[in-house]
Amino acid sequence: MHLSLICSSFHLIVYAGMNISEKSTECPKLALSSSFSRTVYSEIEEIGWEHLVKLAEDLSFVTFRVIDKKERVHVLEVLLNKSYPNCPPSVSADVPYIFNLEWSTNSRLMDVVKQFRQHLEKLQQFWSTLEDIDQSLWVSDSAQLHRATPFRHINIGNDCSVILLIHASNPRSLPECHFMGSDEKVILLRDKWRRNCKRWMKDKLFTENLANLLEVHLPGPPGVEKNDQQIECGICYSKFLPIDDELGAESGGKTDYTCENSTCSKAFHSVCLRDWLRSITTTRQSFDVLFGSCPYCSEPVAVKIGPRM
């Protein structure tokens, strides 16, 4: 019998509220011939047949679909042997490192799934960091990358690139690196890395840290224009201001101020930046100009207090 037929048959049996053994005469392949098979079927039902991806006919492995809090879909494969549950199962998944399974003779497949979910929680920052890199920088061979891949090959311009190894357990820490390019350019990049490595700050975005450390403007993904990336205001996150008489000439306006720091270049509506600077106690005003710091890179910004028409 085809595997999908087995899975769908079980799914129907469970959700029809029928006992599996009652259907064994109609589906010989599903007959509960041993305590091992009864245990496995019962524990899959406990997890929910809707989470089942694959089930081997000999029950040597079972695969579940698990969704983390960021709605990323993961597949967990559990390998079983005939001495299960006396002997712990083996697990595999598309993760940078696997967790140490805690097991006792009273443990069940549900415990494996729970421990896997806990492991996924620990990896959320790792995957968020990789997504930030993939969405903001020019990553080579991005289509071939998997969730278990802890490195990124990044084009940094000027015929140079860098391979970064991101630490899965501490993804915001300074990564290991290997520069590629001409000898002369690689030497310069290595010097910058050694000189600036102490400037790496865990509370900043990975891409921002990398640009500051290398002292370059990093190119974005190919085919994405800079203006498209910066069209939304970095404060209100909208492309255009609302239509409002109180905004005067700025009503419905697009972003009109860009941070002059080339490694930041965040765009803002002037009115949003003015309001934000007014809320900061360190902001200074001289005549009709507000002086303060960029909300993203902390570099100096200055915006004119224009009259609203």
Side-chain angles (χ1 to χ4, degrees), residues 115-147:
Q115 291 181 50
F116 182 59
R117 289 186 182 278
Q118 293 171 355
H119 187 59
L120 294 179
E121 288 299 307
K122 297 177 183 178
L123 293 169
Q124 292 303 300
Q125 193 175 80
F126 169 72
W127 285 316
S128 294
T129 298
L130 293 182
E131 288 172 358
D132 173 42
I133 294 172
D134 295 341
Q135 294 169 9
S136 304
L137 303 178
W138 188 338
V139 178
S140 300
D141 302 322
S142 57
Q144 301 177 18
L145 298 174
H146 303 280
R147 290 207 175 98

Side-chain angles (χ1 to χ4, degrees), residues 36 40 59-62 78-84 88-90 109:
F36 169 71
V40 173
L59 305 185
S60 60
F61 73 86
V62 58
V78 184
L79 303 178
L80 307 170
N81 60 43
K82 296 301 181 181
S83 62
Y84 176 87
S90 300
L109 287 176

Side-chain angles (χ1 to χ4, degrees), residues 235 272-283 290 295:
I235 295 174
C272 294
L273 188 57
R274 285 198 299 268
D275 290 344
W276 187 85
L277 289 174
R278 286 192 178 106
S279 69
I280 305 300
T281 57
T282 56
T283 298
L290 291 175

Side-chain angles (χ1 to χ4, degrees), residues 9 39-40 43-44 49 63 68 96 105 108 111 121 162 187 192 202 210 221 229-230 238 255 283 291 299 307:
S9 299
T39 298
V40 173
E43 293 184 9
I44 293 176
W49 293 99
T63 306
D68 66 24
T105 54
R108 310 184 311 279
D111 297 307
E121 288 299 307
V162 60
I187 290 172
K192 288 183 180 180
K202 290 185 178 182
L210 185 61
Q229 292 180 313
Q230 304 294 340
S238 297
T255 53
T283 298
F291 297 89
E299 291 296 308

